[in-house]
Amino acid sequence: MLSYLESARIDANYRYFYGDLFRLMLNAGRAVSEVVEEEFGKGQRICVVCGSGNNGGDGIVAASELIKSNSVSVIALRGRESLSTDMLKRAVETYNGPIEGPEMLDQCIANCTIVIDAILGVGAHGTPREPYASAIRKINTSGKAVVSIDVPSGLGSEIAVRPHITVTFTDVKEGMTGENSGKIVVRDIGIPRDAVYRAGPGDMLFYPYPEPGSHKGMNGTLSVFGGWSYYGSAVIAARAALAAGCDLVKVYTTRENAPLIASHSFEYMVSSIGDSVPEEAFRSRCILLGPGLGRDFDRRIVSQIIMRAQRIVLDADPLRLLPHLGDLSGKEVVVTPHASEFRDMSGMDPVPENAMEFAKSHGVVVVLKGEEDIITDGNSLYRCTGGNPRMTMGGTGDMLAGLISALMSKGMPALRASLLGTFINKSAADMCMERKGLWYSVSDMIGAVPEVFLRYSDGAKINSFRAH
Ligand SMILES: NC(=O)C1=CN([C@@H]2O[C@H](COP(=O)(O)OP(=O)(O)OC[C@H]3O[C@@H](n4cnc5c(N)ncnc54)[C@H](O)[C@@H]3O)[C@@H](O)[C@H]2O)[C@H](O)CC1
Ligand SMILES: [K+]
């Protein structure tokens, strides 16, 4: 089952990795025409009713196949000029029949045997507006056989097409049932694995934007336990977390290092801890444990933090404790080892299959860092490519831990936060490389985080989602 948001994620990632979706649209339209002919035979009179998004484009491609052995009319509900994106223009070029305006809708429906509903797909939000709402009512009262493309238009709202068949792509979409979608036929349209299992701009869609009217702390609270031996690591993680939009970051460190860490920024808070961990630290929505902790940490305190935390990112030295802590699946846990840390904590070679096995048996998300990051929750295996050789400098791992924990502190689930965190980290490095070649620093990378958000949230159509 694919949610609308997951479909949009795949869409955005496909665009980023492979260019436009036209090849997929061709496959989608062809799949619809095949199903229509399989179900109803040739020689039909078909009315294809198109909206102005890509669902309409699928309809036009289907029409250009169906016209070979059927009588086909195409209606563009918002007028032909609404089919104006590059992809829609290309779909129109593949069709050598007329495309009529909305004034022809009644006649087209009256004369046909089959209506194809290509009005709205997974890009729709809320109840269909005019002219779609009226068209949907007409289709439902037409008494004709109705085939919806991808989803019944308006699905989930009070004005929705009630089709006999829905031809859907890749997987059944969220909310579809036999009752609201008729016979559901799933067709593969050749989406490559990488569009699904590679971190990309599509992961930006899951970034939790602050609700208007929300107040301090509602958009992320993070406790960072680190900098006990290497204070700089905690500074990097805390600053990265703030750059990713966490409201409140507090660093818990040693008495000696607290003033040093505090002197590097006035944007996070710093507290020193003694023999026990202050209760308030667990009131944060997420805990990051590890950056700069060093090897000689107090095992009792560190185990206590892990056991108390509900949402936690574990990085660097404390990872060694993990095998002794049993199953953590009741919590949201991300572990971020590099190859040799993975070897130490698991006793296994740092390869994707072992990362997956470890994730499954411990109930955690593993982010195995490397030239290509591997991200797995034990069920699915993702990768994050990109980045460049300068990322071997100290601090990039602290930054990643800060990013992932910030995203979790804002409510993102562990796996989603890990996909987005790895993508932002590598993209920030690549952006710095564009500007400074190999001579950039981790501070430059943290400075690039807002620009990464701005650059890639457009690609993911985040603004259109926000607006709805
Ligand atoms: N993901 C894939 O691999 C492929 C999907 N394809 C098809 O494309 C649609 C999704 O296309 P998209 O352009 O994102 O959205 P829609 O066609 O659903 O239409 C959005 C369009 O409509 C406007 N709109 C949104 N809500 C409403 C509303 N309530 N009332 C009126 N208008 C609304 C919005 O502003 C947009 O302009 C997917 O379902 C597949 O059918 C491609 O074929 C490629 C492969
Ligand atoms: K549809």
Side-chain angles (χ1 to χ4, degrees):
M1 180 80 86
L2 267 186
S3 69
Y4 278 29
L5 215 48
E6 182 61 22
S7 297
R9 170 184 179 268
I10 295 170
D11 205 285
N13 283 355
Y14 184 95
R15 252 182 258 272
Y16 181 62
F17 297 127
Y18 303 96
D20 73 36
L21 295 165
F22 189 62
R23 194 175 60 79
L24 297 183
M25 185 181 271
L26 287 177
N27 293 344
R30 284 181 194 137
V32 172
S33 76
E34 279 166 21
V35 173
V36 168
E37 292 193 343
E38 279 162 24
E39 295 285 333
F40 302 98
K42 299 184 181 195
Q44 299 290 329
R45 291 191 308 282
I46 300 172
C47 174
V48 185
V49 187
C50 299
S52 60
N54 289 333
N55 198 252
D58 295 350
I60 292 170
V61 174
S64 59
E65 293 295 318
L66 288 164
I67 203 169
K68 294 171 188 164
S69 1
N70 302 274
S71 156
V72 175
S73 309
V74 174
I75 304 282
L77 282 178
R78 292 180 55 210
R80 200 191 154 107
E81 54 295 346
S82 71
L83 307 173
S84 57
T85 68
D86 283 349
M87 219 156 83
L88 286 168
K89 279 189 197 147
R90 284 166 73 186
V92 170
E93 278 164 24
T94 68
Y95 183 59
N96 55 13
I99 295 178
E100 322 263 14
E103 66 286 353
M104 297 301 287
L105 180 67
D106 292 343
Q107 193 183 328
C108 178
I109 292 179
N111 292 340
C112 74
T113 50
I114 301 167
V115 178
I116 295 185
D117 153 34
I119 302 174
L120 289 166
V122 295
H125 311 270
T127 307
R129 297 183 293 274
E130 293 298 352
Y132 299 159
S134 305
I136 289 170
R137 289 196 191 93
K138 283 177 186 165
I139 292 171
N140 285 341
T141 51
S142 68
K144 304 295 165 84
V146 178
V147 178
S148 284
I149 299 184
D150 207 20
V151 291
S153 298
L155 179 70
S157 78
E158 59 276 26
I159 305 171
V161 172
R162 288 191 302 276
H164 301 89
I165 300 173
T166 300
V167 186
T168 193
F169 311 125
T170 313
D171 200 351
V172 176
K173 305 298 175 316
E174 186 181 17
M176 278 171 61
T177 62
E179 203 172 324
N180 60 32
S181 306
K183 176 175 168 182
I184 299 171
V185 182
V186 181
R187 282 293 168 107
D188 185 42
I189 54 168
I191 290 179
R193 275 192 64 78
D194 265 3
V196 183
Y197 294 108
R198 200 162 146 193
D203 292 294
M204 293 274 181
L205 284 167
F206 295 87
Y207 183 79
Y209 270 82
E211 291 291 335
S214 57
H215 53 78
K216 187 162 62 186
M218 282 172 74
N219 299 296
T221 47
L222 176 68
S223 296
V224 179
F225 290 93
W228 300 0
S229 291
Y230 311 104
Y231 79 90
S233 298
V235 174
I236 292 169
R239 289 183 53 216
L242 288 163
C246 179
D247 272 3
L248 295 168
V249 177
K250 189 155 184 179
V251 180
Y252 292 88
T253 191
T254 58
R255 222 175 293 282
E256 305 82 72
N257 286 347
L260 282 169
I261 293 173
S263 72
H264 278 267
S265 174
F266 43 78
E267 292 171 340
Y268 49 69
M269 294 162 287
V270 183
S271 189
S272 59
I273 55 172
D275 293 340
S276 63
V277 181
E279 205 45 40
E280 52 147 38
F282 297 107
R283 286 200 277 276
S284 292
R285 193 144 186 212
C286 184
I287 282 175
L288 167 59
L289 173 65
L293 219 57
R295 293 188 77 81
D296 303 323
F297 56 79
D298 182 332
R299 285 177 76 119
R300 189 186 52 85
I301 290 192
V302 167
S303 306
Q304 184 199 342
I305 296 168
I306 298 173
M307 297 324 285
R308 277 292 311 275
Q310 264 313 304
R311 299 162 67 74
I312 185 163
V313 176
L314 285 169
D315 184 42
D317 298 291
L319 291 170
R320 280 182 289 130
L321 293 184
L322 213 65
H324 312 291
L325 297 174
D327 182 6
L328 297 172
S329 53
K331 306 170 184 289
E332 292 260 309
V333 184
V334 177
V335 298
T336 55
H338 54 57
S340 78
E341 285 166 346
F342 183 81
R343 229 185 266 279
D344 286 349
M345 77 177 196
S346 69
M348 296 189 282
D349 286 339
V351 295
E353 305 71 55
N354 291 342
M356 194 148 165
E357 189 184 319
F358 187 91
K360 201 174 191 82
S361 58
H362 288 80
V364 300
V365 169
V366 175
V367 176
L368 177 56
K369 298 177 288 193
E371 190 180 351
E372 181 177 298
D373 295 336
I374 300 297
I375 304 111
T376 174
D377 60 354
N379 295 315
S380 307
L381 193 67
Y382 298 81
R383 60 201 190 101
C384 181
T385 58
N388 56 69
R390 176 62 176 146
M391 290 188 80
T392 54
M393 77 180 130
T396 56
D398 302 322
M399 171 160 164
L400 177 65
L403 292 173
I404 295 174
S405 55
L407 298 171
M408 283 174 69
S409 82
K410 293 171 76 64
M412 286 182 80
L415 180 64
R416 295 258 175 237
S418 301
L419 289 169
L420 182 54
T422 52
F423 178 72
I424 293 171
N425 203 41
K426 284 193 186 286
S427 301
D430 287 341
M431 198 175 264
C432 291
M433 176 99 160
E434 279 165 31
R435 292 175 185 162
K436 299 192 168 181
L438 283 172
W439 299 274
Y440 64 88
S441 66
V442 173
S443 290
D444 293 327
M445 281 175 64
I446 294 171
V449 167
E451 290 173 81
V452 169
F453 274 106
L454 285 174
R455 182 186 286 188
Y456 295 112
S457 52
D458 263 345
K461 293 199 287 185
I462 205 157
N463 292 322
S464 79
F465 268 86
R466 232 176 0 157
H468 290 89

